[in-house]
Amino acid sequence: MKSILFVPADNERKLAKAVSCGADALAFDLEDSVLPERKPLARLLLVEYLKTYSGASEVWIRVNDLASGELLRDLAAVVASKPVGIVLPKVFGPEDITTVSHYLDMAETQAGLPLGGIAILAVITETPAAVLRMGEFTRHSFPRLKALMWGGEDLSSAMGAGDPRQADGRWRPVYEHARIQCLLAAHALGVEALDTVYVDFRNSDGCRANSEGARYDGFTGKCAIHPDQVPVINAAFSPSEEEIAFAHRVIAAFETGAGAVQLDGKMLDVPHLKAARRLLAAAGV
C-alpha cells in the first residue's frame, strides 16, 4: 500500500468521492472522525455503501479501540462486508492484537467467512505503553498482521502534551522516537510500514517532500487525509525511471559473479544488489 486514504464513514459525500481517488487502499473510519452519537449511523451507512462498492482500492475499516466499548459493535456490523482488513487504533501491547484476532475469528465464523481472511493494520504509537513495549511486538507471531502505522497526535493527547511538531514541521524528539520504533518493528516483523498523515493537506510540495523523506527512511507507504494528497503520495512511493535504470545497472554489474563491484566510481556490495532487486520488485519490473 503506497497510499491509504482515511474516509469518515458517516459522510455520504466523502464516501461517494473516495471511490475515484486512486488510493491503493481506503480506510473507512468509524473512530476519530465520527462523533460518539453518530457511530451507529456510520456503521449503517458504511455497510450499505459497501454493498455496491466497485472501486479498485482495497477496503479497510478503522474500528474503535478495545477500551472504547464500540469495537465489538463495529466488528459485528462490518465483518460480513468482507473488508481486506481492519485498522486497529490505540494499541497498548501485543496482547491487544491477539485479542482482536480472536474477535475476528468469531466474527468470521458467524458471517460464514474463511478464518484468517481479514487482516489487521495496527497503530502502535498512540499510547505511551505501546511505544515503551515496542520490542515485545517483535517477539510474537501475528498471522493476521499486515502492516504497522504510527501517529503523533493521539500520543501527544495521551500525555497531555502540546503540538507534536516543531514550528518548521519537524517532529519533536518524543514523536520522532515513536516513528523510528514503529518503522523498525514493522521491518523486524516483515510487514508494511506506513507513515502517518501530513496534516497540511493544501501544501502539495510539503506533502511531496514529507512522503519522499518517509520512503527514503524505509516506510513502504503513507496515510492521506485528503484525496488531493493521494497522487502526490503515490508518486513519491513509486520508483522513478532513473531509479529503475540505475537498479538495472547495479544488477548487471554483479553478473560477473563478484561480491563487490565498482559503478560510477563507487564500490557496491551485496546489500546494494539486494536493494536493487527489491526496488525492481516494488516497481513490478
PDB file of all heavy atoms in Angstrom, residues 41-77:
ATOM      1  N   LEU A  41     -24.984   5.358  13.191  1.00  0.00           N
ATOM      2  CA  LEU A  41     -25.311   5.786  11.829  1.00  0.00           C
ATOM      3  C   LEU A  41     -24.149   5.485  10.878  1.00  0.00           C
ATOM      4  O   LEU A  41     -24.366   5.013   9.750  1.00  0.00           O
ATOM      5  CB  LEU A  41     -25.621   7.280  11.811  1.00  0.00           C
ATOM      6  CG  LEU A  41     -25.803   7.908  10.416  1.00  0.00           C
ATOM      7  CD1 LEU A  41     -26.988   7.288   9.698  1.00  0.00           C
ATOM      8  CD2 LEU A  41     -25.947   9.422  10.521  1.00  0.00           C
ATOM      9  N   ALA A  42     -22.918   5.728  11.332  1.00  0.00           N
ATOM     10  CA  ALA A  42     -21.752   5.479  10.486  1.00  0.00           C
ATOM     11  C   ALA A  42     -21.671   4.012  10.089  1.00  0.00           C
ATOM     12  O   ALA A  42     -21.361   3.683   8.935  1.00  0.00           O
ATOM     13  CB  ALA A  42     -20.477   5.899  11.218  1.00  0.00           C
ATOM     14  N   ARG A  43     -21.958   3.110  11.017  1.00  0.00           N
ATOM     15  CA  ARG A  43     -21.933   1.674  10.693  1.00  0.00           C
ATOM     16  C   ARG A  43     -22.980   1.346   9.619  1.00  0.00           C
ATOM     17  O   ARG A  43     -22.707   0.628   8.656  1.00  0.00           O
ATOM     18  CB  ARG A  43     -22.183   0.844  11.947  1.00  0.00           C
ATOM     19  CG  ARG A  43     -21.106   0.968  13.011  1.00  0.00           C
ATOM     20  CD  ARG A  43     -21.386   0.009  14.178  1.00  0.00           C
ATOM     21  NE  ARG A  43     -20.534   0.312  15.310  1.00  0.00           N
ATOM     22  CZ  ARG A  43     -20.929   0.941  16.409  1.00  0.00           C
ATOM     23  NH1 ARG A  43     -22.189   1.323  16.544  1.00  0.00           N
ATOM     24  NH2 ARG A  43     -20.074   1.192  17.388  1.00  0.00           N
ATOM     25  N   LEU A  44     -24.172   1.876   9.807  1.00  0.00           N
ATOM     26  CA  LEU A  44     -25.244   1.607   8.845  1.00  0.00           C
ATOM     27  C   LEU A  44     -24.905   2.141   7.462  1.00  0.00           C
ATOM     28  O   LEU A  44     -25.080   1.449   6.443  1.00  0.00           O
ATOM     29  CB  LEU A  44     -26.558   2.222   9.337  1.00  0.00           C
ATOM     30  CG  LEU A  44     -27.200   1.575  10.569  1.00  0.00           C
ATOM     31  CD1 LEU A  44     -28.388   2.395  11.039  1.00  0.00           C
ATOM     32  CD2 LEU A  44     -27.627   0.154  10.253  1.00  0.00           C
ATOM     33  N   LEU A  45     -24.423   3.385   7.402  1.00  0.00           N
ATOM     34  CA  LEU A  45     -24.069   3.988   6.116  1.00  0.00           C
ATOM     35  C   LEU A  45     -22.955   3.205   5.430  1.00  0.00           C
ATOM     36  O   LEU A  45     -22.999   2.974   4.216  1.00  0.00           O
ATOM     37  CB  LEU A  45     -23.640   5.442   6.322  1.00  0.00           C
ATOM     38  CG  LEU A  45     -24.726   6.456   6.672  1.00  0.00           C
ATOM     39  CD1 LEU A  45     -24.105   7.822   6.941  1.00  0.00           C
ATOM     40  CD2 LEU A  45     -25.752   6.553   5.540  1.00  0.00           C
ATOM     41  N   LEU A  46     -21.954   2.793   6.205  1.00  0.00           N
ATOM     42  CA  LEU A  46     -20.825   2.090   5.621  1.00  0.00           C
ATOM     43  C   LEU A  46     -21.239   0.726   5.070  1.00  0.00           C
ATOM     44  O   LEU A  46     -20.849   0.348   3.958  1.00  0.00           O
ATOM     45  CB  LEU A  46     -19.709   1.925   6.658  1.00  0.00           C
ATOM     46  CG  LEU A  46     -18.456   1.187   6.181  1.00  0.00           C
ATOM     47  CD1 LEU A  46     -17.844   1.876   4.966  1.00  0.00           C
ATOM     48  CD2 LEU A  46     -17.437   1.084   7.305  1.00  0.00           C
ATOM     49  N   VAL A  47     -22.017  -0.013   5.828  1.00  0.00           N
ATOM     50  CA  VAL A  47     -22.456  -1.332   5.364  1.00  0.00           C
ATOM     51  C   VAL A  47     -23.270  -1.201   4.077  1.00  0.00           C
ATOM     52  O   VAL A  47     -23.082  -1.983   3.123  1.00  0.00           O
ATOM     53  CB  VAL A  47     -23.270  -2.041   6.464  1.00  0.00           C
ATOM     54  CG1 VAL A  47     -23.966  -3.283   5.901  1.00  0.00           C
ATOM     55  CG2 VAL A  47     -22.355  -2.432   7.620  1.00  0.00           C
ATOM     56  N   GLU A  48     -24.158  -0.221   4.002  1.00  0.00           N
ATOM     57  CA  GLU A  48     -24.943  -0.017   2.787  1.00  0.00           C
ATOM     58  C   GLU A  48     -24.047   0.396   1.617  1.00  0.00           C
ATOM     59  O   GLU A  48     -24.225  -0.075   0.493  1.00  0.00           O
ATOM     60  CB  GLU A  48     -26.026   1.043   3.028  1.00  0.00           C
ATOM     61  CG  GLU A  48     -27.178   0.561   3.883  1.00  0.00           C
ATOM     62  CD  GLU A  48     -27.868  -0.652   3.284  1.00  0.00           C
ATOM     63  OE1 GLU A  48     -28.210  -0.610   2.082  1.00  0.00           O
ATOM     64  OE2 GLU A  48     -28.036  -1.648   4.014  1.00  0.00           O
ATOM     65  N   TYR A  49     -23.085   1.265   1.899  1.00  0.00           N
ATOM     66  CA  TYR A  49     -22.160   1.721   0.860  1.00  0.00           C
ATOM     67  C   TYR A  49     -21.357   0.558   0.282  1.00  0.00           C
ATOM     68  O   TYR A  49     -21.178   0.433  -0.935  1.00  0.00           O
ATOM     69  CB  TYR A  49     -21.230   2.774   1.445  1.00  0.00           C
ATOM     70  CG  TYR A  49     -20.104   3.207   0.537  1.00  0.00           C
ATOM     71  CD1 TYR A  49     -20.308   4.142  -0.476  1.00  0.00           C
ATOM     72  CD2 TYR A  49     -18.823   2.690   0.699  1.00  0.00           C
ATOM     73  CE1 TYR A  49     -19.270   4.545  -1.304  1.00  0.00           C
ATOM     74  CE2 TYR A  49     -17.788   3.087  -0.128  1.00  0.00           C
ATOM     75  CZ  TYR A  49     -18.010   4.013  -1.121  1.00  0.00           C
ATOM     76  OH  TYR A  49     -16.976   4.396  -1.935  1.00  0.00           O
ATOM     77  N   LEU A  50     -20.879  -0.325   1.149  1.00  0.00           N
ATOM     78  CA  LEU A  50     -20.031  -1.426   0.703  1.00  0.00           C
ATOM     79  C   LEU A  50     -20.801  -2.482  -0.076  1.00  0.00           C
ATOM     80  O   LEU A  50     -20.193  -3.274  -0.809  1.00  0.00           O
ATOM     81  CB  LEU A  50     -19.319  -2.056   1.893  1.00  0.00           C
ATOM     82  CG  LEU A  50     -18.269  -1.171   2.573  1.00  0.00           C
ATOM     83  CD1 LEU A  50     -17.652  -1.884   3.768  1.00  0.00           C
ATOM     84  CD2 LEU A  50     -17.181  -0.749   1.590  1.00  0.00           C
ATOM     85  N   LYS A  51     -22.109  -2.490   0.033  1.00  0.00           N
ATOM     86  CA  LYS A  51     -22.906  -3.449  -0.739  1.00  0.00           C
ATOM     87  C   LYS A  51     -22.760  -3.226  -2.238  1.00  0.00           C
ATOM     88  O   LYS A  51     -22.859  -4.171  -3.024  1.00  0.00           O
ATOM     89  CB  LYS A  51     -24.385  -3.343  -0.336  1.00  0.00           C
ATOM     90  CG  LYS A  51     -24.705  -3.943   1.015  1.00  0.00           C
ATOM     91  CD  LYS A  51     -26.179  -3.782   1.343  1.00  0.00           C
ATOM     92  CE  LYS A  51     -26.517  -4.379   2.699  1.00  0.00           C
ATOM     93  NZ  LYS A  51     -27.958  -4.205   3.053  1.00  0.00           N
ATOM     94  N   THR A  52     -22.517  -2.000  -2.630  1.00  0.00           N
ATOM     95  CA  THR A  52     -22.402  -1.687  -4.061  1.00  0.00           C
ATOM     96  C   THR A  52     -21.020  -1.151  -4.429  1.00  0.00           C
ATOM     97  O   THR A  52     -20.825  -0.674  -5.551  1.00  0.00           O
ATOM     98  CB  THR A  52     -23.468  -0.652  -4.466  1.00  0.00           C
ATOM     99  OG1 THR A  52     -23.307   0.539  -3.679  1.00  0.00           O
ATOM    100  CG2 THR A  52     -24.863  -1.215  -4.254  1.00  0.00           C
ATOM    101  N   TYR A  53     -20.069  -1.216  -3.497  1.00  0.00           N
ATOM    102  CA  TYR A  53     -18.729  -0.691  -3.775  1.00  0.00           C
ATOM    103  C   TYR A  53     -18.071  -1.492  -4.887  1.00  0.00           C
ATOM    104  O   TYR A  53     -18.044  -2.732  -4.861  1.00  0.00           O
ATOM    105  CB  TYR A  53     -17.869  -0.758  -2.515  1.00  0.00           C
ATOM    106  CG  TYR A  53     -16.428  -0.340  -2.742  1.00  0.00           C
ATOM    107  CD1 TYR A  53     -16.082   1.015  -2.791  1.00  0.00           C
ATOM    108  CD2 TYR A  53     -15.426  -1.282  -2.934  1.00  0.00           C
ATOM    109  CE1 TYR A  53     -14.775   1.408  -3.014  1.00  0.00           C
ATOM    110  CE2 TYR A  53     -14.114  -0.894  -3.153  1.00  0.00           C
ATOM    111  CZ  TYR A  53     -13.795   0.444  -3.194  1.00  0.00           C
ATOM    112  OH  TYR A  53     -12.490   0.822  -3.425  1.00  0.00           O
ATOM    113  N   SER A  54     -17.526  -0.790  -5.863  1.00  0.00           N
ATOM    114  CA  SER A  54     -16.885  -1.460  -7.003  1.00  0.00           C
ATOM    115  C   SER A  54     -15.549  -0.819  -7.361  1.00  0.00           C
ATOM    116  O   SER A  54     -15.061  -0.958  -8.479  1.00  0.00           O
ATOM    117  CB  SER A  54     -17.807  -1.431  -8.224  1.00  0.00           C
ATOM    118  OG  SER A  54     -18.120  -0.082  -8.587  1.00  0.00           O
ATOM    119  N   GLY A  55     -14.957  -0.085  -6.400  1.00  0.00           N
ATOM    120  CA  GLY A  55     -13.698   0.594  -6.676  1.00  0.00           C
ATOM    121  C   GLY A  55     -12.515  -0.358  -6.696  1.00  0.00           C
ATOM    122  O   GLY A  55     -12.596  -1.518  -6.273  1.00  0.00           O
ATOM    123  N   ALA A  56     -11.391   0.160  -7.194  1.00  0.00           N
ATOM    124  CA  ALA A  56     -10.174  -0.638  -7.270  1.00  0.00           C
ATOM    125  C   ALA A  56      -9.370  -0.600  -5.981  1.00  0.00           C
ATOM    126  O   ALA A  56      -8.485  -1.436  -5.776  1.00  0.00           O
ATOM    127  CB  ALA A  56      -9.302  -0.127  -8.424  1.00  0.00           C
ATOM    128  N   SER A  57      -9.646   0.338  -5.098  1.00  0.00           N
ATOM    129  CA  SER A  57      -8.904   0.462  -3.847  1.00  0.00           C
ATOM    130  C   SER A  57      -9.291  -0.643  -2.878  1.00  0.00           C
ATOM    131  O   SER A  57     -10.462  -1.027  -2.788  1.00  0.00           O
ATOM    132  CB  SER A  57      -9.177   1.822  -3.191  1.00  0.00           C
ATOM    133  OG  SER A  57      -8.889   2.887  -4.071  1.00  0.00           O
ATOM    134  N   GLU A  58      -8.299  -1.153  -2.136  1.00  0.00           N
ATOM    135  CA  GLU A  58      -8.597  -2.121  -1.089  1.00  0.00           C
ATOM    136  C   GLU A  58      -9.494  -1.469  -0.029  1.00  0.00           C
ATOM    137  O   GLU A  58      -9.341  -0.287   0.284  1.00  0.00           O
ATOM    138  CB  GLU A  58      -7.315  -2.596  -0.404  1.00  0.00           C
ATOM    139  CG  GLU A  58      -6.448  -3.500  -1.249  1.00  0.00           C
ATOM    140  CD  GLU A  58      -5.265  -4.039  -0.458  1.00  0.00           C
ATOM    141  OE1 GLU A  58      -5.101  -3.652   0.719  1.00  0.00           O
ATOM    142  OE2 GLU A  58      -4.511  -4.849  -1.019  1.00  0.00           O
ATOM    143  N   VAL A  59     -10.392  -2.253   0.520  1.00  0.00           N
ATOM    144  CA  VAL A  59     -11.293  -1.759   1.564  1.00  0.00           C
ATOM    145  C   VAL A  59     -10.749  -2.148   2.937  1.00  0.00           C
ATOM    146  O   VAL A  59     -10.615  -3.334   3.261  1.00  0.00           O
ATOM    147  CB  VAL A  59     -12.715  -2.322   1.389  1.00  0.00           C
ATOM    148  CG1 VAL A  59     -13.581  -1.961   2.600  1.00  0.00           C
ATOM    149  CG2 VAL A  59     -13.340  -1.781   0.111  1.00  0.00           C
ATOM    150  N   TRP A  60     -10.421  -1.139   3.736  1.00  0.00           N
ATOM    151  CA  TRP A  60     -10.039  -1.305   5.132  1.00  0.00           C
ATOM    152  C   TRP A  60     -11.016  -0.501   5.977  1.00  0.00           C
ATOM    153  O   TRP A  60     -11.596   0.487   5.489  1.00  0.00           O
ATOM    154  CB  TRP A  60      -8.610  -0.809   5.376  1.00  0.00           C
ATOM    155  CG  TRP A  60      -7.570  -1.685   4.756  1.00  0.00           C
ATOM    156  CD1 TRP A  60      -7.249  -1.790   3.429  1.00  0.00           C
ATOM    157  CD2 TRP A  60      -6.716  -2.597   5.444  1.00  0.00           C
ATOM    158  NE1 TRP A  60      -6.254  -2.722   3.247  1.00  0.00           N
ATOM    159  CE2 TRP A  60      -5.898  -3.231   4.466  1.00  0.00           C
ATOM    160  CE3 TRP A  60      -6.549  -2.956   6.784  1.00  0.00           C
ATOM    161  CZ2 TRP A  60      -4.941  -4.180   4.801  1.00  0.00           C
ATOM    162  CZ3 TRP A  60      -5.596  -3.900   7.113  1.00  0.00           C
ATOM    163  CH2 TRP A  60      -4.803  -4.508   6.131  1.00  0.00           C
ATOM    164  N   ILE A  61     -11.206  -0.902   7.215  1.00  0.00           N
ATOM    165  CA  ILE A  61     -12.123  -0.191   8.101  1.00  0.00           C
ATOM    166  C   ILE A  61     -11.411   0.101   9.413  1.00  0.00           C
ATOM    167  O   ILE A  61     -10.926  -0.827  10.081  1.00  0.00           O
ATOM    168  CB  ILE A  61     -13.397  -1.023   8.369  1.00  0.00           C
ATOM    169  CG1 ILE A  61     -14.135  -1.268   7.046  1.00  0.00           C
ATOM    170  CG2 ILE A  61     -14.313  -0.300   9.362  1.00  0.00           C
ATOM    171  CD1 ILE A  61     -15.292  -2.238   7.161  1.00  0.00           C
ATOM    172  N   ARG A  62     -11.303   1.405   9.748  1.00  0.00           N
ATOM    173  CA  ARG A  62     -10.733   1.737  11.055  1.00  0.00           C
ATOM    174  C   ARG A  62     -11.834   1.603  12.092  1.00  0.00           C
ATOM    175  O   ARG A  62     -12.792   2.382  12.102  1.00  0.00           O
ATOM    176  CB  ARG A  62     -10.130   3.143  11.088  1.00  0.00           C
ATOM    177  CG  ARG A  62      -9.547   3.438  12.473  1.00  0.00           C
ATOM    178  CD  ARG A  62      -8.559   4.581  12.498  1.00  0.00           C
ATOM    179  NE  ARG A  62      -9.182   5.885  12.314  1.00  0.00           N
ATOM    180  CZ  ARG A  62      -8.537   7.047  12.479  1.00  0.00           C
ATOM    181  NH1 ARG A  62      -7.257   7.061  12.831  1.00  0.00           N
ATOM    182  NH2 ARG A  62      -9.157   8.189  12.262  1.00  0.00           N
ATOM    183  N   VAL A  63     -11.666   0.614  12.944  1.00  0.00           N
ATOM    184  CA  VAL A  63     -12.622   0.359  14.012  1.00  0.00           C
ATOM    185  C   VAL A  63     -12.230   1.167  15.245  1.00  0.00           C
ATOM    186  O   VAL A  63     -11.176   1.804  15.284  1.00  0.00           O
ATOM    187  CB  VAL A  63     -12.659  -1.146  14.341  1.00  0.00           C
ATOM    188  CG1 VAL A  63     -13.193  -1.943  13.155  1.00  0.00           C
ATOM    189  CG2 VAL A  63     -11.267  -1.658  14.743  1.00  0.00           C
ATOM    190  N   ASN A  64     -13.056   1.127  16.247  1.00  0.00           N
ATOM    191  CA  ASN A  64     -12.738   1.774  17.508  1.00  0.00           C
ATOM    192  C   ASN A  64     -11.836   0.868  18.339  1.00  0.00           C
ATOM    193  O   ASN A  64     -11.745  -0.344  18.110  1.00  0.00           O
ATOM    194  CB  ASN A  64     -14.025   2.104  18.260  1.00  0.00           C
ATOM    195  CG  ASN A  64     -14.797   3.238  17.601  1.00  0.00           C
ATOM    196  OD1 ASN A  64     -14.491   4.409  17.799  1.00  0.00           O
ATOM    197  ND2 ASN A  64     -15.784   2.885  16.786  1.00  0.00           N
ATOM    198  N   ASP A  65     -11.158   1.447  19.302  1.00  0.00           N
ATOM    199  CA  ASP A  65     -10.171   0.689  20.071  1.00  0.00           C
ATOM    200  C   ASP A  65     -10.834  -0.215  21.110  1.00  0.00           C
ATOM    201  O   ASP A  65     -12.026  -0.099  21.405  1.00  0.00           O
ATOM    202  CB  ASP A  65      -9.177   1.642  20.734  1.00  0.00           C
ATOM    203  CG  ASP A  65      -9.831   2.514  21.787  1.00  0.00           C
ATOM    204  OD1 ASP A  65     -10.428   3.552  21.420  1.00  0.00           O
ATOM    205  OD2 ASP A  65      -9.762   2.155  22.970  1.00  0.00           O
ATOM    206  N   LEU A  66     -10.017  -1.096  21.668  1.00  0.00           N
ATOM    207  CA  LEU A  66     -10.524  -2.090  22.617  1.00  0.00           C
ATOM    208  C   LEU A  66     -11.189  -1.462  23.848  1.00  0.00           C
ATOM    209  O   LEU A  66     -12.157  -2.000  24.377  1.00  0.00           O
ATOM    210  CB  LEU A  66      -9.373  -2.994  23.069  1.00  0.00           C
ATOM    211  CG  LEU A  66      -9.142  -4.263  22.253  1.00  0.00           C
ATOM    212  CD1 LEU A  66      -7.783  -4.863  22.582  1.00  0.00           C
ATOM    213  CD2 LEU A  66     -10.245  -5.270  22.517  1.00  0.00           C
ATOM    214  N   ALA A  67     -10.673  -0.346  24.299  1.00  0.00           N
ATOM    215  CA  ALA A  67     -11.191   0.262  25.526  1.00  0.00           C
ATOM    216  C   ALA A  67     -12.438   1.108  25.302  1.00  0.00           C
ATOM    217  O   ALA A  67     -13.047   1.586  26.260  1.00  0.00           O
ATOM    218  CB  ALA A  67     -10.102   1.122  26.174  1.00  0.00           C
ATOM    219  N   SER A  68     -12.834   1.284  24.061  1.00  0.00           N
ATOM    220  CA  SER A  68     -13.915   2.218  23.738  1.00  0.00           C
ATOM    221  C   SER A  68     -15.310   1.679  24.039  1.00  0.00           C
ATOM    222  O   SER A  68     -16.263   2.455  24.183  1.00  0.00           O
ATOM    223  CB  SER A  68     -13.846   2.593  22.257  1.00  0.00           C
ATOM    224  OG  SER A  68     -14.159   1.455  21.453  1.00  0.00           O
ATOM    225  N   GLY A  69     -15.453   0.359  24.084  1.00  0.00           N
ATOM    226  CA  GLY A  69     -16.780  -0.220  24.203  1.00  0.00           C
ATOM    227  C   GLY A  69     -17.519  -0.305  22.880  1.00  0.00           C
ATOM    228  O   GLY A  69     -18.671  -0.758  22.829  1.00  0.00           O
ATOM    229  N   GLU A  70     -16.876   0.116  21.787  1.00  0.00           N
ATOM    230  CA  GLU A  70     -17.511   0.130  20.467  1.00  0.00           C
ATOM    231  C   GLU A  70     -16.949  -0.937  19.525  1.00  0.00           C
ATOM    232  O   GLU A  70     -17.546  -1.218  18.489  1.00  0.00           O
ATOM    233  CB  GLU A  70     -17.315   1.502  19.805  1.00  0.00           C
ATOM    234  CG  GLU A  70     -17.914   2.675  20.556  1.00  0.00           C
ATOM    235  CD  GLU A  70     -19.436   2.741  20.416  1.00  0.00           C
ATOM    236  OE1 GLU A  70     -19.997   1.985  19.592  1.00  0.00           O
ATOM    237  OE2 GLU A  70     -20.053   3.554  21.133  1.00  0.00           O
ATOM    238  N   LEU A  71     -15.829  -1.529  19.864  1.00  0.00           N
ATOM    239  CA  LEU A  71     -15.143  -2.414  18.921  1.00  0.00           C
ATOM    240  C   LEU A  71     -15.992  -3.615  18.518  1.00  0.00           C
ATOM    241  O   LEU A  71     -16.094  -3.941  17.322  1.00  0.00           O
ATOM    242  CB  LEU A  71     -13.820  -2.888  19.516  1.00  0.00           C
ATOM    243  CG  LEU A  71     -13.046  -3.926  18.692  1.00  0.00           C
ATOM    244  CD1 LEU A  71     -12.721  -3.394  17.304  1.00  0.00           C
ATOM    245  CD2 LEU A  71     -11.774  -4.344  19.408  1.00  0.00           C
ATOM    246  N   LEU A  72     -16.599  -4.299  19.482  1.00  0.00           N
ATOM    247  CA  LEU A  72     -17.398  -5.481  19.147  1.00  0.00           C
ATOM    248  C   LEU A  72     -18.596  -5.097  18.285  1.00  0.00           C
ATOM    249  O   LEU A  72     -18.987  -5.848  17.382  1.00  0.00           O
ATOM    250  CB  LEU A  72     -17.848  -6.189  20.424  1.00  0.00           C
ATOM    251  CG  LEU A  72     -16.728  -6.885  21.206  1.00  0.00           C
ATOM    252  CD1 LEU A  72     -17.278  -7.491  22.497  1.00  0.00           C
ATOM    253  CD2 LEU A  72     -16.046  -7.951  20.366  1.00  0.00           C
ATOM    254  N   ARG A  73     -19.181  -3.946  18.543  1.00  0.00           N
ATOM    255  CA  ARG A  73     -20.288  -3.483  17.695  1.00  0.00           C
ATOM    256  C   ARG A  73     -19.798  -3.241  16.268  1.00  0.00           C
ATOM    257  O   ARG A  73     -20.486  -3.563  15.295  1.00  0.00           O
ATOM    258  CB  ARG A  73     -20.892  -2.205  18.273  1.00  0.00           C
ATOM    259  CG  ARG A  73     -21.550  -2.370  19.645  1.00  0.00           C
ATOM    260  CD  ARG A  73     -22.239  -1.086  20.069  1.00  0.00           C
ATOM    261  NE  ARG A  73     -22.841  -1.191  21.395  1.00  0.00           N
ATOM    262  CZ  ARG A  73     -22.251  -0.813  22.513  1.00  0.00           C
ATOM    263  NH1 ARG A  73     -21.041  -0.268  22.476  1.00  0.00           N
ATOM    264  NH2 ARG A  73     -22.858  -0.960  23.683  1.00  0.00           N
ATOM    265  N   ASP A  74     -18.593  -2.655  16.155  1.00  0.00           N
ATOM    266  CA  ASP A  74     -18.030  -2.417  14.825  1.00  0.00           C
ATOM    267  C   ASP A  74     -17.849  -3.733  14.064  1.00  0.00           C
ATOM    268  O   ASP A  74     -18.262  -3.866  12.904  1.00  0.00           O
ATOM    269  CB  ASP A  74     -16.666  -1.720  14.944  1.00  0.00           C
ATOM    270  CG  ASP A  74     -16.751  -0.305  15.471  1.00  0.00           C
ATOM    271  OD1 ASP A  74     -17.853   0.293  15.421  1.00  0.00           O
ATOM    272  OD2 ASP A  74     -15.720   0.207  15.942  1.00  0.00           O
ATOM    273  N   LEU A  75     -17.212  -4.701  14.714  1.00  0.00           N
ATOM    274  CA  LEU A  75     -16.925  -5.972  14.053  1.00  0.00           C
ATOM    275  C   LEU A  75     -18.211  -6.712  13.689  1.00  0.00           C
ATOM    276  O   LEU A  75     -18.323  -7.287  12.595  1.00  0.00           O
ATOM    277  CB  LEU A  75     -16.041  -6.838  14.935  1.00  0.00           C
ATOM    278  CG  LEU A  75     -14.640  -6.299  15.231  1.00  0.00           C
ATOM    279  CD1 LEU A  75     -13.871  -7.272  16.114  1.00  0.00           C
ATOM    280  CD2 LEU A  75     -13.857  -6.018  13.947  1.00  0.00           C
ATOM    281  N   ALA A  76     -19.170  -6.698  14.597  1.00  0.00           N
ATOM    282  CA  ALA A  76     -20.440  -7.366  14.323  1.00  0.00           C
ATOM    283  C   ALA A  76     -21.125  -6.763  13.097  1.00  0.00           C
ATOM    284  O   ALA A  76     -21.793  -7.466  12.328  1.00  0.00           O
ATOM    285  CB  ALA A  76     -21.358  -7.275  15.542  1.00  0.00           C
ATOM    286  N   ALA A  77     -20.937  -5.466  12.903  1.00  0.00           N
ATOM    287  CA  ALA A  77     -21.603  -4.786  11.795  1.00  0.00           C
ATOM    288  C   ALA A  77     -20.882  -4.959  10.465  1.00  0.00           C
ATOM    289  O   ALA A  77     -21.520  -5.141   9.421  1.00  0.00           O
ATOM    290  CB  ALA A  77     -21.742  -3.296  12.108  1.00  0.00           C
TER     291      ALA A  77
END
